[in-house]
Amino acid sequence: MSVYSFFEMLKRVCFCLFMVMVMAFSSCVRNSAVQIPINEFFGTPQKNAFKISPDGKYISYLKPYKDHLNLFIESLADGKEHMATSFTDYSLRDYYWTYNDQIVFSQDVIATDQLKTFALDIATMKLHLLMTGNKVRMKVISRIKEDPNIINVAMNKDVPTRTDVYRLNIKTGEIKLYLVNPGNFTEWFPDPDGKIRLVKASDGVNETILYRADDNKPFKQIITNNFKTRVEPIAFTGKKNDFYALSNVNRDKTALVEIDAETGKEVKEIYANNNADITSVEYSKNRHIVEYASWEEAYPEKHFLDKCMADIYKNFEDQLKGYEIRIVDRDSAENKFIISSYTDRDAGSFYLFERSKCKLTKLGDINSGIKLDELCAMKPISYKASDGTIINGYLTFPKGKDSTNLPVVVMPHDWSYGATSRNSWGYNPDVQFLANRGYAVFQVNYRGSTGYGKAFHSAGFKQVGGKIQQDITDGVNWLIANKTANPKKIAIFGGGFGGFSALYGVSFHPGLYNCAIVQYGIINFFTYIKDVPPFLKPSLQMMYEMVGNPETDADQLRAISPVFHTDRIKAPLLIFQGAKDPRANISELNQFVIELHKQNVPVSYFLKENERAFFRSERNRMQMYSEIEKFLDANMRVKQ
């Protein structure tokens, strides 16, 4: 071979190697996800909590001002925005329109555990304080058409453990007792005029629905069920004294039914799904009809019972293809609607829909700073638990990664033992944040989760440290077996009951998890049950049945409570807690952390003053997720 030929061949080899390197680099660039700033996921939305005035003349929403949510009003006549409040100490909580263009809202003054209730007059933009109360919980139940100045509110104003119903005059601030709670009433259901005609009572185990024809008649029992069976009134049908309800009486899956209020007997089943509970409905107050029923298996689904609403949704879907859509609010004439749209990769937007014009106008985006193609799809999954039970959930893969040998963050959901407790398909900022940082995110709807029928829900009772945790463990082992998870890079992260599950996982499954992140977690079921806030006392017996009785189930509760097993924990922990969380025993948590340090457990603990379970301060949220990012990076060793 000549020298010339040799150099020509060498040049070709070098060129090929160079091209291989270029292609490899291009592939890396193409497959690497753009790291999105934390504030894009967890910053306060610029506009949120949209509502419309009953007369359809105004749009209202919450918007941040100096790190606190304040109320803004927009006139639909001229499109002008007015800043209605300018609080710099605490954000607004829920707010409600009345029939005479007043807005009632509350402030939770966390430092003093005080509730302040205000009224805003839209015509004058004047604000006045209606009432204050220490350790008071208040809920607006209904507006009164006959007297627009009056609203019905449920409060534990006089007795901390008893919630009575009052009539609050929003002009004068006068409060009159309307309905005395005998001590076991837990929910109130008004008729279209705002008068309370149905109530739900509970002795903690059995649940009773009572009915009265009008305010002058006594309540009478019409339905009694145990805690495993549910009847949830929705609204009166406008025919006789029948009402719509969600019921799983004599069936496994909750159905939409019609019930005779005089007898409590089911008149007919309106709609049911064989595979999932009906979880919500959309109701027209004007026409007294249910417009559609909703449920969720893998994805949210709807069945329309009203052609008019089906046509409206067809219009939405034509303009917002690929989005899940729900009605947020409507005016009294049911001509103007506030709707929201979302997907698993989009926090969504709010729109005004004007039926008479068939016009859809965007009002605002919840999170416009993130590009959809930078986020990750949430995929439904299912697997068999070790006893053969089918468990459902969701798996979100990070972008630009193979679907095998991935670092995984397991996220067990909280469990409030209420009517809705599950993971759902949709936008979740925690999930998208973790996926953006390179982790697959695994969410399990363990037995006890709602939406899958009465048998599956009740299968989780008294299984807080049993089959529920086994379902989570079986899911992790399933991920390892099918090569999705790198068995050396698995973390567990949860809040409330999910926080307990995280601590349980690192206590009783050593070596399965690299580390755990706990937000407002349950560490001791004895104090969790004993220290139940006064307003939850009526549910205490039900908690005994669902979780355990501290007297008769003491051995079981002690065996699973993390506070008694600090010697079992070896994995690094990251713990966040709000000092004003009414469900937390802060002194016990502080001692728990001290004991972990004594056991040489690497634990980082952040206790935030003036915060409840969820951190409302944007600054505290930013710090929390920054710490989570650093913690996972250090313990999972995932570099972007």
Side-chain angles (χ1 to χ4, degrees):
M1 179 185 294
S2 68
V3 173
Y4 174 79
S5 299
F6 173 78
F7 278 111
E8 282 297 308
M9 183 178 69
L10 187 62
K11 283 167 63 179
R12 285 196 296 271
V13 170
C14 289
F15 178 76
C16 289
L17 287 171
F18 173 74
M19 290 304 297
V20 168
M21 291 173 65
V22 168
M23 290 171 66
F25 177 76
S26 298
S27 177
C28 289
V29 171
R30 189 168 58 249
N31 290 332
S32 63
V34 175
Q35 192 164 98
I36 300 167
I38 291 174
N39 67 292
E40 294 290 355
F41 291 109
F42 303 107
T44 305
Q46 283 305 300
K47 291 182 180 180
N48 204 356
F50 281 86
K51 294 186 180 182
I52 190 166
S53 61
D55 60 14
K57 294 180 179 179
Y58 303 96
I59 294 291
S60 55
Y61 44 88
L62 299 182
K63 187 175 172 180
Y65 171 71
K66 295 187 176 180
D67 196 29
H68 293 90
L69 290 173
N70 278 274
L71 182 64
F72 287 74
I73 311 295
E74 180 181 319
S75 168
L76 292 179
D78 57 18
K80 290 183 179 179
E81 178 186 78
H82 301 275
M83 184 174 180
T85 66
S86 55
F87 294 112
T88 58
D89 50 359
Y90 292 95
S91 296
L92 269 70
R93 291 184 62 187
D94 295 337
Y95 71 93
Y96 309 86
W97 280 92
T98 69
Y99 285 115
N100 61 348
D101 282 347
Q102 304 274 322
I103 291 180
V104 178
F105 65 87
S106 298
Q107 252 192 329
D108 182 11
V109 183
I110 298 173
T112 57
D113 206 0
Q114 186 181 55
L115 187 76
K116 291 183 176 181
T117 304
F118 297 86
L120 172 74
D121 181 78
I122 301 302
T124 63
M125 284 294 168
K126 287 185 177 179
L127 192 68
H128 65 279
L129 180 66
L130 291 176
M131 57 170 286
T132 60
N134 289 318
K135 297 185 178 180
V136 170
R137 295 294 181 271
M138 186 189 83
K139 177 184 178 182
V140 175
I141 297 176
S142 59
R143 306 175 287 198
I144 309 299
K145 280 188 176 181
E146 295 173 357
D147 189 345
N149 291 327
I150 302 295
I151 57 174
N152 288 329
V153 296
M155 287 189 292
N156 59 339
K157 181 176 74 73
D158 296 323
V159 181
T161 58
R162 191 187 77 206
T163 302
D164 298 312
V165 181
Y166 300 84
R167 289 198 155 169
L168 174 60
N169 188 309
I170 55 177
K171 286 284 190 183
T172 66
E174 182 184 19
I175 301 173
K176 288 184 177 179
L177 189 62
Y178 169 48
L179 197 159
V180 177
N181 190 339
N184 61 346
F185 286 3
T186 57
E187 294 181 67
W188 300 262
F189 304 92
D191 65 12
D193 296 323
K195 296 174 182 176
I196 295 172
R197 295 172 61 197
L198 289 169
V199 296
K200 187 180 284 189
S202 174
D203 62 7
V205 178
N206 294 317
E207 191 172 75
T208 302
I209 293 178
L210 302 94
Y211 165 76
R212 65 179 180 182
D214 57 54
D215 285 355
N216 299 316
K217 298 285 195 315
F219 282 103
K220 65 175 184 177
Q221 295 184 12
I222 58 170
I223 300 171
T224 299
N225 295 306
N226 68 19
F227 64 95
K228 294 182 180 180
T229 304
R230 175 188 178 217
V231 174
E232 194 69 26
I234 297 166
F236 283 90
T237 65
K239 297 180 296 182
K240 301 180 182 178
N241 287 310
D242 292 0
F243 63 92
Y244 298 113
L246 296 177
S247 170
N248 62 6
V249 175
N250 299 322
R251 52 173 67 86
D252 180 59
K253 304 295 189 295
T254 299
L256 172 63
V257 302
E258 184 177 322
I259 294 174
D260 182 343
E262 294 287 351
T263 64
K265 301 296 183 183
E266 186 175 306
V267 176
K268 63 179 177 179
E269 179 179 283
I270 298 171
Y271 186 75
N273 183 279
N274 292 329
N275 301 318
D277 294 328
I278 302 301
T279 53
S280 64
V281 301
E282 190 65 32
Y283 172 76
S284 166
K285 291 182 180 179
N286 280 357
R287 296 180 291 153
H288 306 296
I289 62 169
V290 173
E291 296 165 326
Y292 64 75
S294 302
W295 69 97
E296 184 173 2
E297 281 187 80
Y299 300 99
E301 298 186 62
K302 295 181 181 69
H303 175 80
F304 289 95
L305 298 158
D306 171 58
K307 186 179 183 304
C308 181
M309 184 53 66
D311 290 342
I312 288 175
Y313 260 79
K314 178 65 168 59
N315 183 290
F316 295 161
E317 290 163 0
D318 288 344
Q319 298 187 63
L320 302 170
K321 292 185 185 299
Y323 280 81
E324 185 63 25
I325 300 159
R326 67 184 183 91
I327 294 173
V328 175
D329 199 11
R330 60 178 82 187
D331 65 4
S332 295
E334 298 189 349
N335 176 51
K336 296 175 182 176
F337 296 77
I338 303 289
I339 70 162
S340 69
S341 64
Y342 70 92
T343 70
D344 53 342
R345 296 186 302 147
D346 188 349
S349 304
F350 289 95
Y351 297 84
L352 172 68
F353 175 70
E354 298 173 85
R355 183 190 297 197
S356 59
K357 302 176 183 177
C358 204
K359 182 182 177 183
L360 195 64
T361 305
K362 181 180 279 194
L363 299 172
D365 298 309
I366 295 176
N367 193 343
S368 59
I370 302 178
K371 296 177 182 177
L372 300 189
D373 59 4
E374 295 174 351
L375 298 182
C376 307
M378 180 184 285
K379 298 180 179 179
I381 56 91
S382 63
Y383 59 92
K384 280 188 178 180
S386 50
D387 65 357
T389 302
I390 299 297
I391 305 297
N392 294 281
Y394 298 93
L395 185 58
T396 303
F397 290 106
K399 288 184 74 68
K401 303 282 185 180
D402 294 329
S403 58
T404 57
N405 200 38
L406 291 168
V408 175
V409 178
V410 181
M411 288 187 65
H413 66 77
D414 195 1
W415 191 15
S416 61
Y417 305 101
T420 54
S421 176
R422 59 165 291 166
N423 289 302
S424 294
W425 182 90
Y427 183 82
N428 183 313
D430 290 76
V431 170
Q432 293 298 335
F433 165 66
L434 293 169
N436 182 253
R437 294 314 191 253
Y439 305 99
V441 184
F442 183 51
Q443 299 170 280
V444 180
N445 281 331
Y446 46 74
R447 70 192 77 194
S449 300
T450 55
Y452 300 98
K454 182 164 55 179
F456 188 82
H457 179 52
S458 59
F461 295 169
K462 291 195 175 180
Q463 294 296 322
V464 291
K467 291 180 180 179
I468 287 176
Q469 307 310 321
Q470 190 59 48
D471 288 345
I472 298 168
T473 303
D474 289 341
V476 175
N477 289 330
W478 173 74
L479 289 177
I480 294 171
N482 65 22
K483 309 294 186 186
T484 298
N486 181 333
K488 296 181 180 180
K489 295 181 180 180
I490 302 175
I492 185 165
F493 169 21
F497 183 78
F500 159 75
S501 296
L503 289 169
Y504 185 96
V506 294
S507 299
F508 294 96
H509 297 284
L512 187 61
Y513 300 104
N514 287 58
C515 57
I517 303 167
V518 179
Q519 296 172 324
Y520 56 97
I522 302 168
I523 63 170
N524 185 347
F525 279 101
F526 290 101
T527 51
Y528 179 77
I529 294 170
K530 180 177 71 70
D531 296 342
V532 63
F535 58 90
L536 290 178
K537 290 288 185 184
S539 303
L540 199 54
Q541 289 294 328
M542 192 181 300
M543 194 177 295
Y544 290 168
E545 296 294 330
M546 293 182 170
V547 183
N549 187 315
E551 294 183 8
T552 59
D553 301 308
D555 290 343
Q556 173 200 344
L557 295 179
R558 184 178 182 85
I560 64 174
S561 295
V563 73
F564 302 115
H565 304 290
T566 53
D567 60 317
R568 287 178 170 269
I569 300 174
K570 308 299 180 187
L573 295 178
L574 179 60
I575 300 174
F576 299 96
Q577 179 63 54
K580 298 295 184 179
D581 179 356
R583 296 308 310 268
N585 186 317
I586 301 302
S587 61
E588 185 174 58
L589 178 58
N590 291 340
Q591 187 59 41
F592 177 65
V593 172
I594 290 170
E595 291 299 319
L596 289 170
H597 281 302
K598 288 180 181 178
Q599 300 289 338
N600 295 317
V601 177
V603 54
S604 298
Y605 174 42
F606 294 86
L607 180 67
K608 293 295 184 181
E609 294 296 328
N610 294 333
E611 291 282 15
R612 300 204 186 276
F614 299 96
F615 288 2
R616 296 179 185 173
S617 165
E618 185 174 290
R619 182 181 303 172
N620 287 340
R621 288 199 307 276
M622 295 305 108
Q623 183 191 7
M624 178 169 66
Y625 285 101
S626 177
E627 293 295 335
I628 289 172
E629 180 175 25
K630 289 187 290 185
F631 178 79
L632 288 174
D633 188 59
N635 290 287
M636 303 277 276
R637 290 176 172 78
V638 175
K639 305 296 182 184
Q640 292 291 346

